[in-house]
Amino acid sequence: MRELLAETAVRAARYASGIATRRVFPSPAEVERLQALGGPLPECSSDPATVLALLDDIGSPATVATTGGRYFGFVTGGTLPAALAANWLAATWDQNAAFSVMSPVAAKLEEIALAWLRDIFKLPETCGAGFVTGATMANFAALAAARHALLARQGWKGEEDGLFGAPALRVVVSVEAHVSLLKALSLLGLGSARVTTVPADNQGRMRPAELPTLDDRTIVCIQAGNVNTGAFDPANEICSVAHDAGAWVHVDGAFGLWASAAPSRAHLTNGIPDADSWATDCHKWLNVPYDSGIAFVRQPENLRNAMAISAAYLPQRDVREPMQYTPEASRRARGVEVWAALKSLGRQGLAELIERNCRLAEHFAEGLRRANYPVLNDAVLNQVLVSFGDAEMTRRVIERVQSDGTCWCGGTQWHGQSAMRISVSSWATTEDDVERSLTAILRAAESLAG
Ligand SMILES: *Cc1c(COP(=O)(O)O)cnc(C)c1O
């Protein structure tokens, strides 16, 4: 075991030190070589070191270099050194985080991380939370708590009696709601299309003046950080209107919630803490390894009641049991890396990480504008949308940028226009990475224009 782990460390260190000089997306030949990992199920056992060597030799070159500084696709964080190291150690521990009796350390680290996160996001000290796989499941868990609370208020036991014949709940979303939120609604039986959709402005912010009449059977879903523009729904106004009517406000803050850690961006999150539930990701802007998201709920009992199970053999104790707050029972100890990331960054380090990414996004926007390519959004956070002309030209530029390998950016549609989307979310991205990437992007655009 000792030798194998040492060998793994050597291979991992080699991978990490090569990340800055390799192609960001693997070459077609490197992807093709993955065939070598297949074939029929082996009849006989292999030495673990041989398995590891094959995985590294064939697998490592076919990875996407998301831990380097020049991956700007989707909204993708890298992994902080302390978070990666903690992840290794935690994998060695192999703890089941379901119950505190199964892993006192996993349970304790969740509690500590939770207190720190409530502080960062300015959430109520009493709010409860579950450590889930990502923002999709965080939206799911938080909306399950909302469903529970609103049905209970009507005297209906949703968890026991289901939704058939239940008092109807209404869900209000922005036209800009993230698809994962709609998926969460579909999994919850609330319906992804059975929603009232509110229009948004040119940055994708919900227009509060166009909210329908709300009541105490309504869940209003708002967004902190639009996946295209980075814009925030006006939470102050929406929370105030919604709460006057007795409605529940849920915030999808997959990456945007982290703006509250950065002094120059914190104003964007004004009013967000007034909501009733919040979903966020840690594998995006906190830069911990996959998978890691958190669902927060103002009144913990709503989340607990929505997630409750009981059986004679399960511990019923007074302490916070992690699985009382999550859809999952057995799961890995996600709190370990969240704790390690926050412990290593501290308040200042986290602020610096968010500030730096936002500054570098501005830098991208300026460089593109200077070259006369229209930036389609106000780059208020870490997201930049740029057009290179018509849809076909923008598509070809994106394709050339991706195949060039210097950096990786994806495409999107914004208000009927095709755009390339740049998301600066990694702790590893430097000024130099942005300069090199800008040069590669402009080279691709100019070579196609000429
Ligand atoms: C990324 C994202 C999600 C989904 O998060 P996963 O971690 O992929 O489940 C939801 N909402 C927003 C706004 C996002 O950016």
Side-chain angles (χ1 to χ4, degrees):
M1 186 70 116
R2 208 187 171 85
E3 239 171 74
L4 181 66
L5 293 184
E7 169 68 10
T8 308
V10 169
R11 287 181 180 276
R14 189 158 62 217
Y15 178 82
S17 64
I19 209 78
T21 49
R22 55 161 280 189
R23 293 174 50 83
V24 172
F25 197 86
S27 70
E30 285 163 333
V31 175
E32 189 55 36
R33 283 178 68 220
L34 290 171
Q35 300 293 351
L37 299 175
L41 171 69
E43 290 298 332
C44 308
S45 315
S46 305
D47 174 32
T50 313
V51 175
L52 180 75
L54 180 66
L55 185 64
D56 186 26
D57 295 343
I58 304 291
S60 291
T63 54
V64 177
T66 51
T67 56
R70 294 188 305 282
Y71 185 82
F72 306 109
F74 306 92
V75 183
T76 304
T79 179
L80 288 161
L84 173 61
N87 175 269
W88 278 15
L89 190 61
T92 317
W93 291 349
D94 191 28
Q95 299 290 280
N96 188 334
F99 288 106
S100 55
V101 74
M102 299 178 93
S103 180
V105 61
K108 190 67 190 172
L109 289 174
E110 282 194 9
E111 274 179 40
I112 297 168
L114 209 50
W116 291 349
L117 290 167
R118 283 192 293 242
D119 178 351
I120 292 164
F121 298 142
K122 302 176 182 65
L123 301 183
E125 255 172 51
T126 50
C127 81
F131 287 69
V132 294
T133 48
T136 303
M137 284 311 285
N139 280 326
F140 172 84
L143 289 167
R147 186 184 64 176
H148 168 84
L150 267 52
L151 286 177
R153 227 184 261 164
Q154 303 296 323
W156 188 266
K157 298 190 188 100
E159 286 68 35
E160 291 161 39
D161 298 331
L163 293 181
F164 301 101
L169 299 183
R170 181 192 211 181
V171 181
V172 174
V173 302
S174 158
V175 64
E176 281 291 328
H178 193 270
V179 286
S180 75
L181 186 108
L182 300 176
K183 177 172 175 178
L185 291 172
S186 81
L187 292 172
L188 287 162
L190 294 170
S192 59
R194 196 188 149 281
V195 290
T196 304
T197 305
V198 181
D201 68 12
N202 67 343
Q203 295 301 310
R205 293 172 295 226
M206 186 189 272
R207 291 182 189 276
E210 308 217 24
L211 278 168
T213 308
L214 305 174
D215 60 22
D216 62 355
R217 295 185 194 183
T218 307
I219 304 169
V220 182
C221 301
I222 65 171
Q223 194 160 253
N226 177 290
V227 80
N228 281 314
T229 63
F232 287 60
D233 290 339
N236 261 327
E237 209 172 331
I238 296 168
C239 286
S240 149
V241 171
H243 288 155
D244 283 349
W248 179 291
V249 180
H250 169 71
V251 180
D252 177 359
F255 60 100
L257 227 51
W258 297 93
S260 61
S264 79
R265 315 284 156 164
H267 64 277
L268 294 167
T269 65
N270 280 348
I272 296 285
D274 296 339
D276 302 284
S277 60
W278 306 263
T280 198
D281 263 319
C282 298
H283 55 226
K284 286 179 179 168
W285 230 347
L286 184 59
N287 281 255
V288 302
Y290 292 99
D291 43 27
S292 190
I294 303 182
F296 299 91
V297 175
R298 176 177 292 276
Q299 288 168 311
E301 60 275 18
N302 287 323
L303 184 54
R304 263 198 321 265
N305 288 332
M307 298 296 149
I309 56 169
S310 64
Y313 73 94
L314 298 177
Q316 305 291 337
R317 299 200 303 154
D318 258 1
V319 298
R320 176 185 182 276
E321 293 295 354
M323 76 158 290
Q324 291 175 328
Y325 298 88
T326 58
E328 300 90 350
S330 297
R331 62 176 172 84
R332 70 184 197 90
R334 296 195 181 87
V336 176
E337 302 113 15
V338 177
W339 174 86
L342 293 173
K343 182 79 178 164
S344 77
L345 288 170
R347 196 186 298 277
Q348 284 177 15
L350 180 62
E352 221 281 303
L353 162 61
I354 307 297
E355 295 280 358
R356 186 170 70 241
N357 282 169
C358 293
R359 230 173 23 241
L360 294 174
E362 275 171 6
H363 190 135
F364 262 121
E366 280 158 22
L368 292 162
R369 268 192 228 108
R370 212 177 308 122
N372 290 320
Y373 294 109
V375 171
L376 306 183
N377 64 315
D378 299 340
V380 290
L381 202 65
N382 62 328
Q383 306 290 104
V384 180
L385 301 175
V386 58
S387 162
F388 295 101
D390 63 11
E392 177 57 14
M393 182 54 87
T394 299
R395 187 192 62 76
R396 288 173 63 200
V397 172
I398 293 169
E399 198 177 82
R400 187 157 295 191
V401 166
Q402 291 178 352
S403 65
D404 168 75
T406 305
C407 66
W408 201 95
C409 306
T412 190
Q413 290 285 323
W414 182 246
H415 289 188
Q417 232 181 321
S418 291
M420 187 174 85
R421 188 173 61 165
I422 301 169
S423 174
V424 189
S425 312
S426 173
W427 75 282
T429 301
T430 63
E431 197 80 40
D432 180 59
D433 286 319
V434 173
E435 280 303 328
R436 283 176 60 187
S437 302
L438 257 177
T439 305
I441 292 166
L442 296 178
R443 188 172 59 224
E446 277 144 31
S447 70
L448 286 164

